[in-house]
Amino acid sequence: MRPDDPDVQRFEEQIAWLRHACHVWPLKEAIRHLYAGTLPRGSVAITFDDGYADNHDYALPVLLRQGVPATFFIATGFLNGGRMFNDTLMEAFANTEQLAVELPELGLPHLPLDGVEARCQASRQVTKGIKHLPPPERAASVELILDRLGRPDCGQSPMMTDAQVKALYEQGMEIGAHTVTHPILRTLDEASARDELAQSRDYLQTLLGAPVGLFAYPNGKPGQDYGPREPGLLQELGFKAAVCTAPGGANRGRDPYQLPRYTPHGRTPMRFMTQLIRCSREEAEAA
């Protein structure tokens, strides 16, 4: 249901390409060198969002074999058995016996489900359509969709446990905050947004016994998923930097609380590295 995501073999190839072609830094160190003017050209940092167990089970061994660091941004409310709404929907679309679904209440009168590609497309379309709703409305929409598709037997939670997060940290990986419940921060009032930022940080600091100064915005598109309020809140709460999902590479002119990042999907070394170079060059030219 996620055909563009790399499997373990492809991920190991990508990390090997990066290790041989770039300087791979821990994100905190990369940021420090960036603003000190000492970051070499061709530097990259690797990040993961949300806190999925496959980060620990499959990605960590690859990173350790390749000898490269990464930063894992954790939505703390889903640890130890939780499940994000989009994963529940994806399971429902994957396992439904329906060959089509009607969702006129969501502006989707007819979605064909006659094959894996159609189900992937429908799952993405529905998730995109409801993820920016206020939490109560989004929850109601999820219930509506499950009533139409059937409720899947989701089995084991796809998220990490506390012990797995600690294991990442103890193996030399960085841990950053990613809110508690992964909301669209722009839709929250200021007190609720502040709580999401502070409580996720505090949970991780207690778990790890170490400061947590990095943050990733849920979804992360500037102006859509978070607004001008959130960088200021992060600074007030003592965070040192934050990453979003505006595509591109970082330069010294960037707000440290809105550092860009992106996912290259090239399936060959040439295409993968070309995407990296293009984003880096565009960012340099814009500086």
Side-chain angles (χ1 to χ4, degrees):
M1 292 294 285
R2 295 183 182 273
D4 290 332
D5 287 1
D7 59 16
V8 173
Q9 180 180 349
R10 176 55 49 79
F11 178 66
E12 183 134 27
E13 290 172 351
Q14 291 174 339
I15 297 302
W17 300 339
L18 284 177
R19 184 169 63 84
H20 287 292
C22 303
H23 304 281
V24 184
W25 293 83
L27 180 59
K28 184 166 62 176
E29 284 295 293
I31 293 169
R32 182 174 67 82
H33 282 286
L34 174 67
Y35 289 102
T38 56
L39 188 67
R41 291 180 62 84
S43 292
V44 300
I46 301 166
T47 63
F48 295 78
D49 281 7
D50 301 335
Y52 286 100
D54 61 7
N55 294 181
H56 171 273
D57 296 343
Y58 302 125
L60 177 62
V62 171
L63 296 167
L64 293 176
R65 281 196 298 271
Q66 295 291 335
V68 299
T71 301
F72 296 80
F73 291 102
I74 310 298
T76 55
F78 302 104
L79 294 174
N80 305 309
R83 179 177 292 273
M84 299 175 73
F85 86 92
N86 52 296
D87 293 312
T88 299
L89 290 182
M90 187 167 58
E91 291 286 345
F93 277 101
N95 294 297
T96 185
E97 296 181 359
Q98 307 295 329
L99 296 179
V101 64
E102 312 288 333
L103 295 167
E105 300 90 340
L106 305 179
L108 300 168
H110 181 78
L111 291 172
L113 302 174
D114 53 346
V116 174
E117 185 175 347
R119 291 173 183 233
C120 290
Q121 182 176 345
S123 178
R124 289 193 297 265
Q125 190 172 352
V126 168
T127 300
K128 182 179 179 180
I130 70 171
K131 71 179 180 180
H132 289 93
L133 294 175
E137 293 180 34
R138 187 172 68 186
S141 296
V142 170
E143 289 300 306
L144 171 69
I145 296 161
L146 295 180
D147 285 343
R148 302 281 164 83
L149 293 176
R151 296 176 182 273
D153 179 7
C154 293
Q156 185 176 350
S157 167
M159 313 308 287
M160 280 191 276
T161 63
D162 285 354
Q164 289 172 318
V165 176
K166 287 185 71 174
L168 289 174
Y169 179 73
E170 289 167 356
Q171 291 285 351
M173 302 297 154
E174 289 183 332
I175 303 298
H178 195 44
T179 72
V180 178
T181 64
H182 203 272
I184 303 299
L185 288 166
R186 189 181 57 81
T187 68
L188 303 183
D189 61 61
E190 183 170 331
S192 298
R194 183 186 295 272
D195 285 346
E196 286 279 348
L197 307 181
Q199 290 176 18
S200 62
R201 176 204 59 191
D202 294 348
Y203 185 101
L204 292 169
Q205 289 185 158
T206 299
L207 175 64
L208 302 175
V212 171
L214 299 176
F215 180 82
Y217 299 100
N219 291 285
K221 187 173 181 180
Q224 177 175 303
D225 301 318
Y226 71 93
R229 174 188 65 187
E230 277 67 40
L233 288 177
L234 289 169
Q235 191 169 11
E236 289 175 22
L237 290 168
F239 285 93
K240 304 303 181 185
V243 293
C244 62
T245 57
N251 61 51
R252 294 176 70 187
R254 281 278 186 172
D255 179 355
Y257 294 94
Q258 299 188 76
L259 293 170
R261 59 185 178 148
Y262 61 99
T263 304
H265 287 293
R267 293 183 177 272
T268 66
M270 179 67 73
R271 290 181 62 84
F272 184 84
M273 298 309 299
T274 297
Q275 287 175 299
L276 288 172
I277 293 167
R278 181 183 299 121
C279 279
S280 177
R281 182 174 298 157
E282 289 172 355
E283 187 67 22
E285 291 172 353

